[in-house]
Amino acid sequence: MMNLSYLTIFCMVGIFASSKPALAQEESIRQIKPSTVADADSGADAGQPAAVPLPSPTPVRPTIAQASLNVSESSEEEDALHLSLEDLFNIKITVASKEEESVSEAPSVVSVFTREDIRRLGVRTVQQLLNFVPGFQANPDESDHFLSIDVRGRSTSSAEAVLVMIDGQRVNDLYFGSPAFSHGLLTENIEQIEIIRGPGSALYGANAFLAVIDIKTNRSRSDVTVGAGNMSRRYGAINLAKSLGEFKLASFVKLYSDEGDSYPNTTDPAGKTVTERDPAKTMDGTLSAEYRGAYFRTRFSERQFGGVNCCSDYGLANKYGVTQTTGQIGYRGAPTGDVDLEVRGAYQRDDYFGLWPDTHQPPGSLAITGFGWNAWSLSPSADLQWRVFASRSLKATLMAGGSYARNQLDYFSAFGSKDPATGDDLGGIYRVESPQFGDPYRVRIRQISAGYLQSKVDLASHLTVTVGSRYDWYSDFGESINPRAAAVWATPWKSFVKITYGHAFRAPQIFEVGLSRPSGLKPEKVQTVEVSYVQQIFGVAEVTADCFQQKLENLIDYDAEGLAVNVGHFATQGLELEIKTNDVHGARLMGSFTHLIREAGDPGITPRDFGSVAVNYGWKRLNLNLSSTFHGYSMQRANDVFAGGAPIFYEKDAYAFLNARLQVEFADGAHVFGSVQDLFDDGRYQPAGLSPTHFARGRTFLLGLSADL
């Protein structure tokens, strides 16, 4: 395995060799003021990009309360189509250290997508968007209901190694640990998405293993969108926001349904050849209220799927549904001028029920089996930020926080029978409590206590050092300690250098604990070292290069008996590249590329090379976007992990998806649009030898109308 020092030297030499100091910018960083939108518009000739100065080295960091509100409030005032390069690449985020800072100065490797980025790309779900993030791969097909995500060479069955938060609240389900978007989290009410590429357990605990995704929802904009497409796809979404003095109220509702794609020559459990579909229905709703630092937010989502799916054989009863309800109530404020405090309570409930046929029964009596769970979590927490010292050349802040969570799971099985010829119920469907997963107490109750401490010091406005650690205690497996450290240097060449170290863990999910041996499971662990370089080029583009090495231990997989066990270690190294440009004669470019270096013996489920590119062109009231995600040669694991036995792999050739979106604004704040996903119908590709029950939708198109209210 390549030594990290050689990889680091290689990356840094290549990056510095390609960068040149800005000849026209000889002043030191602290002498230059940031540009404004007005300066950029008035100071450049038509068709030419404005000269962009460096960011202010001593930004005034707002309170926690201000940081959490700035994203949604400022987005209403600034249209990203007209932002200068400086504004575009210094968008404020909070995911990296729980305080507001620019992407460049954040002590983590972060990718950010604004509402305008999402609209231009034409993506409808978060999983489609993730394919444009360096190091990430996600199936862009929204019919693949249980989605796995590959992050930096590590692929898991339920994407449980990625923590997802919506407005700061974790929304991974309480049984599988799957992120909310594995059931099609939609983008119509998203204001900004902030993604840490790397570990985040030092702040966020379990599931913040390979990445953290924080989704900021709209709380200041009112609009409506309707659309329809092939497969009888139809949807409607509405955002409503109202301010009455200091009281702010916002809501969002979306309904979606389709009849699914058509899959001919499908064999059902009775042996007949039929044409089957994979219909889907979804509903989403949110409500939030804020008044003088106090806030309340609640969210509900429901997903119903039928027919064929990604995980099971086709059958007369192949259907399942999942719902999630979350709520937050809290207060943000500043008891003193140097202290900011946030306290909150969070609630989450997950419900799942699924049915499928048991093909091992004799003809004439097709047995129906299934299972479900009802899980809930209640968690109080608090964060405190103290500005210990602040001057022109030195600033130090200290942040501390703690939380407690109690998770409870009620698991059950369902049995019944159907007539294979007619599909009529013969014995009905009934529910029974299932003790099959061992000790009920270990499976159904989990308590978690945690606390963290973080210090951030700005030295001479050029160097920022962040150190911190978090302690987590779990009632079913014990404790985990996860430190982090980072240094960020603002160079004189309109660039930033970041060196980061992080340690993270993934707690065994409740279903894994239930399938484990009496000796139990250890949490998965990862150590990651990263060297990142961010360079602005001629006031037109920004390029980020990131070299990383991660070592994973205590990986959880399944043995020949289908039981969850710790199977050993895994390591990857790699290079990630990302580029974003400003408007140049109406055109804008966004792209990413990832190259992985793996240990010998790795089956290569994740390609060594993959990436994305998107080109956007705007002219008057017309906007056109072409985007593509590409994946190199890899292997595909074919057998069901629960079936036991040695893994079976098939070769999967390189492939690419091409997407297009055209938008025309016919009135101020109103536009029509059309989008096509998988233009060349490559989504149906399956390696030779895979079961024909691994269905995938191909080309889809959508026409719609959106208007501000």
Side-chain angles (χ1 to χ4, degrees):
M1 184 174 61
M2 181 183 292
N3 185 278
L4 177 63
S5 60
Y6 292 122
L7 179 65
T8 301
I9 294 173
F10 167 77
C11 292
M12 295 303 295
V13 169
I15 294 167
F16 276 107
S18 63
S19 64
K20 297 181 179 180
L23 298 179
Q25 304 273 344
E26 295 293 339
E27 299 176 273
S28 66
I29 293 180
R30 65 168 57 92
Q31 293 174 319
I32 302 177
K33 297 170 57 180
S35 65
T36 64
V37 176
D39 293 334
D41 290 342
S42 61
D45 295 334
Q48 298 296 324
V52 180
L54 287 172
S56 172
T58 55
V60 178
R61 303 185 195 277
T63 66
I64 295 176
Q66 293 169 327
S68 63
L69 296 175
N70 278 348
V71 171
S72 60
E73 292 180 347
S74 63
S75 62
E76 186 70 12
E77 301 170 359
E78 299 176 341
D79 185 341
L81 285 170
H82 304 293
L83 293 180
S84 68
L85 181 72
E86 196 66 30
D87 295 316
L88 284 170
F89 300 132
N90 285 279
I91 295 172
K92 299 302 181 181
I93 63 171
T94 58
V95 68
S97 56
K98 290 193 175 182
E99 65 172 314
E100 189 180 63
E101 59 202 346
S102 71
V103 178
S104 300
E105 67 181 351
S108 299
V109 180
V110 179
S111 292
V112 180
F113 295 89
T114 65
R115 174 172 61 95
E116 188 63 29
D117 292 331
I118 296 170
R119 183 174 67 84
R120 285 172 173 165
L121 288 172
V123 296
R124 294 191 55 257
T125 62
V126 174
Q127 61 263 44
Q128 293 173 352
L129 180 67
L130 291 180
N131 286 282
F132 295 90
V133 179
F136 279 69
Q137 290 184 97
N139 191 333
D141 182 357
E142 60 189 296
S143 72
D144 209 0
H145 311 313
F146 282 102
L147 175 73
S148 64
I149 300 175
D150 300 339
V151 181
R152 291 180 167 179
R154 171 65 170 158
S155 177
T156 58
S157 59
S158 302
E160 65 275 9
V162 178
L163 172 64
V164 177
M165 300 182 294
I166 298 180
D167 292 322
Q169 179 179 4
R170 62 169 55 228
V171 292
N172 295 65
D173 80 55
L174 300 170
Y175 187 65
F176 283 120
S178 303
F181 55 73
S182 64
H183 298 289
L185 186 63
L186 305 170
T187 60
E188 280 78 7
N189 74 323
I190 293 178
E191 202 67 40
Q192 183 164 295
I193 299 182
E194 305 167 8
I195 303 168
I196 295 178
R197 301 176 350 232
S201 288
L203 281 180
Y204 299 109
N207 294 99
F209 189 65
L210 300 178
V212 178
I213 300 174
D214 192 11
I215 299 171
K216 312 288 189 182
T217 62
N218 165 62
R219 298 199 294 277
S220 64
R221 176 171 41 86
S222 295
D223 58 30
V224 62
T225 304
V226 294
N230 61 332
M231 306 180 196
S232 298
R233 302 163 76 206
R234 49 197 180 274
Y235 80 98
I238 184 168
N239 283 289
L240 295 174
K242 183 69 174 179
S243 295
L244 300 172
E246 297 183 78
F247 181 76
K248 299 180 180 180
L249 185 67
S251 63
F252 168 74
V253 176
K254 176 163 184 176
L255 300 176
Y256 170 89
S257 67
D258 66 50
E259 294 181 359
D261 205 352
S262 176
Y263 304 95
N265 302 319
T266 302
T267 302
D268 72 7
K272 296 185 298 183
T273 300
V274 298
T275 296
E276 181 55 36
R277 310 189 75 92
D278 59 344
K281 293 183 178 180
T282 70
M283 180 175 69
D284 293 87
T286 65
L287 177 66
S288 70
E290 300 179 8
Y291 180 73
R292 292 189 175 182
Y295 60 86
F296 167 78
R297 302 185 189 114
T298 185
R299 168 182 162 269
F300 174 80
S301 67
E302 181 178 12
R303 304 289 184 264
Q304 296 181 12
F305 305 110
V308 298
N309 61 62
C310 67
C311 307
S312 306
D313 292 334
Y314 159 71
L316 298 172
N318 256 17
K319 61 181 180 180
Y320 61 94
V322 59
T323 65
Q324 184 176 80
T325 305
T326 64
Q328 286 190 89
I329 185 168
Y331 174 78
R332 296 179 302 268
T336 70
D338 295 325
V339 175
D340 303 319
L341 176 67
E342 180 174 10
V343 294
R344 58 193 172 276
Y347 171 80
Q348 176 178 334
R349 181 183 175 93
D350 300 322
D351 296 276
Y352 173 90
F353 181 69
L355 290 172
W356 56 86
D358 185 347
T359 58
H360 299 292
Q361 299 301 314
S365 178
L366 178 64
I368 303 300
T369 62
F371 73 95
W373 72 80
N374 311 117
W376 64 269
S377 174
L378 185 63
S379 176
S381 60
D383 292 299
L384 182 145
Q385 179 182 316
W386 175 31
R387 286 173 289 279
V388 180
F389 185 81
S391 69
R392 186 174 181 83
S393 60
L394 176 65
K395 179 180 179 181
T397 60
L398 183 66
M399 180 172 287
S403 63
Y404 169 81
R406 178 183 173 86
N407 301 346
Q408 179 171 321
L409 173 78
D410 295 319
Y411 182 96
F412 60 88
S413 293
F415 302 95
S417 60
K418 283 182 178 290
D419 185 325
T422 65
D424 295 336
D425 286 337
L426 298 177
I429 303 297
Y430 59 94
R431 166 177 166 166
V432 296
E433 295 300 323
S434 175
Q436 67 187 80
F437 286 112
D439 181 353
Y441 181 82
R442 287 182 60 221
V443 173
R444 296 185 177 181
I445 300 293
R446 169 176 279 181
Q447 300 183 70
I448 308 166
S449 299
Y452 74 89
L453 189 66
Q454 175 180 274
S455 177
K456 188 172 183 179
V457 180
D458 295 341
L459 301 172
S461 302
H462 297 286
L463 179 65
T464 301
V465 177
T466 303
V467 295
S469 186
R470 174 172 167 135
Y471 173 85
D472 287 83
W473 175 84
Y474 278 68
S475 60
D476 50 2
F477 71 79
E479 63 184 12
S480 180
I481 300 175
N482 297 277
R484 73 178 297 198
V488 181
W489 174 42
T491 78
W493 306 287
K494 301 181 69 174
S495 61
F496 290 84
V497 178
K498 300 182 183 182
I499 301 176
T500 65
Y501 166 81
H503 192 283
F505 79 107
R506 184 183 76 81
Q509 300 305 319
I510 290 181
F511 90 96
E512 293 172 327
V513 174
L515 290 172
S516 66
R517 299 182 183 279
S519 58
L521 292 171
K522 298 178 181 178
E524 293 188 341
K525 297 181 180 180
V526 63
Q527 295 186 66
T528 303
V529 178
E530 299 169 288
V531 178
S532 179
Y533 185 80
V534 184
Q535 177 70 58
Q536 292 186 14
I537 301 176
F538 302 123
V540 174
E542 180 171 275
V543 177
T544 301
D546 177 48
C547 303
F548 70 87
Q549 180 189 56
Q550 60 182 17
K551 296 181 178 180
L552 301 96
E553 301 176 355
N554 301 331
L555 300 183
I556 298 175
D557 207 335
Y558 301 89
D559 62 12
E561 300 178 27
L563 297 177
V565 294
N566 293 109
V567 296
H569 65 276
F570 177 78
T572 59
Q573 300 175 89
L575 172 66
E576 298 169 342
L577 301 175
E578 186 174 30
I579 182 171
K580 289 186 177 182
T581 73
N582 198 7
D583 284 339
V584 180
H585 299 294
R588 181 173 293 184
L589 173 69
M590 177 189 303
S592 68
F593 175 76
T594 302
H595 174 70
L596 298 178
I597 304 170
R598 291 189 289 252
E599 290 184 327
D602 175 22
I605 296 177
T606 301
R608 291 183 181 273
D609 301 291
F610 53 93
S612 66
V613 62
V615 179
N616 193 87
Y617 179 73
W619 180 73
K620 295 185 177 179
R621 292 180 177 267
L622 180 145
N623 190 275
L624 173 65
N625 184 277
L626 294 175
S627 64
S628 177
T629 58
F630 55 91
H631 310 259
Y633 168 88
S634 63
M635 304 294 289
Q636 176 104 16
R637 182 169 178 167
N639 61 315
D640 191 331
V641 295
F642 297 104
I648 301 175
F649 297 95
Y650 295 97
E651 294 184 354
K652 190 169 185 177
D653 294 332
Y655 66 97
F657 292 108
L658 180 64
N659 312 308
R661 186 181 191 274
L662 177 64
Q663 173 183 298
V664 179
E665 187 177 17
F666 62 87
D668 290 344
H671 59 266
V672 293
F673 62 89
S675 64
V676 181
Q677 295 285 330
D678 189 10
L679 189 63
F680 296 120
D681 206 21
D682 293 317
R684 297 179 181 276
Y685 171 79
Q686 293 292 342
L690 279 183
S691 165
T693 58
H694 285 248
F695 298 95
R697 292 177 174 179
R699 178 173 48 245
T700 61
F701 65 83
L702 188 73
L703 299 175
L705 167 69
S706 181
D708 294 338
L709 298 177

